[in-house]
Amino acid sequence: MSTGPWLNVLVDVPGQPSEFTYRVPSEWDVAPGDLVSVPLGPGLVGGIVLEILDALPPDLTPAQIRPIAEIIHPRFFQPSYWQFLERT
């Protein structure tokens, strides 16, 4: 069973809860502000990495977590802009 790191990802799906947890494949370097493609239901959707989590939320198990599918654009939001967004 693969372990973290885990990601909190804001997905682009109207009418759904907006944040989901995903796993990072071990060989990938992912950071907050990256644009990613993630599995949701039977398809893939776009999302923005909000934060990297050290531990899973208590209501989830590792078996429930799917890995991100692709990094579409690394560092889409520059660190200084991302810090500004987090403060606002």
Side-chain angles (χ1 to χ4, degrees):
M1 174 70 54
S2 296
T3 60
W6 315 104
L7 300 174
N8 189 16
V9 178
L10 177 66
V11 297
D12 184 20
V13 178
Q16 293 284 335
S18 58
E19 295 178 22
F20 292 92
T21 302
Y22 289 92
R23 181 174 48 82
V24 180
S26 61
E27 64 278 5
W28 293 8
D29 179 27
V30 180
D34 287 0
L35 295 183
V36 294
S37 177
V38 295
L40 187 67
L44 295 173
V45 297
I48 300 170
V49 176
L50 296 177
E51 64 181 324
I52 297 173
L53 307 170
D54 292 328
L56 280 175
D59 59 333
L60 296 175
T61 66
Q64 295 173 290
I65 308 302
R66 296 163 74 181
I68 61 172
E70 178 183 12
I71 300 171
I72 297 170
H73 194 294
R75 298 358 174 231
F76 182 77
F77 293 102
Q78 295 302 314
S80 60
Y81 184 69
W82 191 251
Q83 291 168 357
F84 169 75
L85 290 174
E86 286 180 321
R87 284 192 308 261
T88 59

